[in-house]
């Protein structure tokens, strides 16, 4: 029998062990999430006979006046995969979120095959991104800013149908990225791989200069645009259904 609970019902070390088993991430990354991005009330677990077999987390976000959840870290014990446990957990979470006043949920599939998995569970592609790589040119001035400032400035640049992310989103982003602003742009650049710009907003003409400022010969980037299908969403109330949003700041 499967029982569902929030994160407070399971020792944090057990959550970390399942994360490691499911994703194989470095312990430093896992610890960073639990230090900056984790909140027990924004975690849902599935237990079978008292043993943790599946879990997921979420960050609070918004689109306009609507509250949505950014579903993150959906993990199932490999020994329990293919038994419908993750599906049941997501159905439980959707019901919980709806009862708590969320209009919907959004997530970024970790692989191409997972798009089909989530589509079968009611999700649809709601956000695309433009991606590319530029060669470094003349170095341009950039100013380092903290992630909270980045989130605030980001909100001013985004269009009305964009997903806004502050609070724990910014706290966790600060562990993953170095944030910058320059003349006409904002950028969140991976701490571990400065040649990777996790999100770029603003003047595309400054990308090659940003690459030089990062000390890289090339810079890969992700920004708003009609390109690769990126995020999938599900909306609980048809009256508030969003056909398309921008969601480019994913913690991948």
């Amino acid at each position: 029998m499967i029982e569902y609970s929030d994160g407070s019902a399971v020792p944090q070390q057990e959550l970390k062990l399942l994360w490691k088993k499911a994703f194989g991430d470095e312990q430093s990354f896992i610890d960073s999430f639990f230090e900056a991005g984790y909140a027990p009330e924004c975690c849902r677990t599935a237990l079978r006979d008292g043993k943790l077999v599946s879990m997921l987390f979420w960050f609070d976000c918004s689109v306009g006046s609507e509250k949505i959840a950014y579903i993150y870290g959906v993990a199932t014990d490999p020994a329990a995969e293919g038994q419908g446990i993750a599906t049941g957990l997501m159905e439980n979470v959707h019901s919980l979120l709806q009862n708590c006043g969320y209009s919907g949920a959004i997530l970024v599939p970790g692989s191409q095959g997972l798009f089909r998995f989530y589509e079968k569970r009611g999700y649809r592609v709601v956000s695309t991104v433009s991606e590319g790589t530029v060669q470094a040119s003349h170095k341009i001035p950039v100013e380092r800013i903290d992630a909270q400032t980045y989130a605030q400035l980001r909100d001013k640049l985004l269009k009305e149908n964009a997903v806004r992310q502050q609070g724990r989103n910014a706290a966790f982003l600060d562990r993953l990225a170095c944030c910058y602003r320059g003349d006409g742009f904002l950028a969140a650049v991976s701490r571990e791989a400065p040649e990777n710009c996790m999100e770029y907003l603003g003047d595309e003409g400054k990308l090659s200069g940003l690459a030089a400022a990062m000390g890289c010969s090339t810079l890969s980037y992700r920004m708003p645009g009609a390109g690769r299908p990126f995020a999938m969403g599900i909306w609980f109330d048809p009256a508030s259904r969003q056909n398309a949003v921008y969601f480019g700041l994913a913690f991948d």
Side-chain angles (χ1 to χ4, degrees):
M1 179 179 177
I2 299 295
E3 297 181 355
Y4 303 105
S5 67
D6 64 23
S8 65
V10 180
Q12 195 174 114
Q13 188 58 30
E14 290 188 23
L15 300 174
K16 289 183 177 183
L17 287 173
L18 178 54
W19 188 300
K20 182 72 172 181
K21 187 183 293 186
F23 303 125
D25 289 325
E26 295 291 334
Q27 193 62 45
S28 58
F29 178 88
I30 299 172
D31 290 341
S32 289
F33 170 73
F34 280 92
E35 289 166 5
Y38 172 67
E41 67 273 17
C42 293
C43 168
R44 201 68 175 161
T45 63
L47 296 92
R48 182 165 59 191
D49 299 326
K51 180 182 178 181
L52 177 66
V53 289
S54 190
M55 65 184 185
L56 61 76
F57 310 84
W58 68 88
F59 294 89
D60 287 343
C61 303
S62 63
V63 177
S65 62
E66 296 184 322
K67 183 178 179 181
I68 64 170
Y70 167 22
I71 302 291
Y72 185 69
V74 182
T76 300
D77 189 317
E81 289 181 349
Q83 300 174 23
I85 295 173
T87 296
L89 177 61
M90 295 197 73
E91 290 173 350
N92 178 267
V93 168
H94 291 162
S95 178
L96 175 68
L97 292 173
Q98 190 169 11
N99 289 338
C100 290
Y102 290 78
S103 295
I106 198 165
L107 52 78
V108 177
S111 66
Q112 190 60 39
L114 285 175
F115 277 85
R116 181 60 178 160
F117 173 87
Y118 288 117
E119 184 178 19
K120 289 180 179 179
R121 285 144 188 86
Y123 284 78
R124 297 292 181 267
V125 173
V126 294
S127 182
T128 62
V129 292
S130 176
E131 297 174 312
T133 302
V134 295
Q135 299 286 328
S137 64
H138 298 294
K139 184 177 179 180
I140 60 174
V142 297
E143 177 187 356
R144 178 75 178 271
I145 56 176
D146 60 57
Q148 187 60 51
T149 300
Y150 178 87
Q152 293 168 354
L153 295 174
R154 180 179 187 269
D155 282 358
K156 295 178 181 178
L157 283 180
L158 294 174
K159 296 180 180 179
E160 185 177 345
N161 70 332
V163 177
R164 284 160 166 76
Q165 299 166 256
Q166 295 201 26
R168 283 188 299 110
N169 296 263
F172 188 42
L173 176 64
D174 198 45
R175 300 297 186 97
L176 304 181
C178 296
C179 299
Y180 301 92
R181 66 178 169 187
D183 183 16
F185 69 89
L186 289 174
V189 178
S190 169
R191 286 183 181 272
E192 291 190 356
E195 69 279 4
N196 175 28
C197 184
M198 296 168 59
E199 182 181 60
Y200 183 86
L201 300 171
D203 184 355
E204 291 183 58
K206 303 293 178 64
L207 277 164
S208 57
L210 175 63
M214 296 298 100
C216 304
S217 59
T218 63
L219 181 73
S220 62
Y221 63 89
R222 184 166 67 212
M223 65 185 298
R228 177 172 71 90
F230 188 64
M232 304 184 78
I234 187 169
W235 311 106
F236 307 135
D237 181 0
S240 65
R241 191 178 301 271
Q242 299 281 342
N243 292 322
V245 299
Y246 166 67
F247 183 82
L249 189 57
F251 303 138
D252 48 356

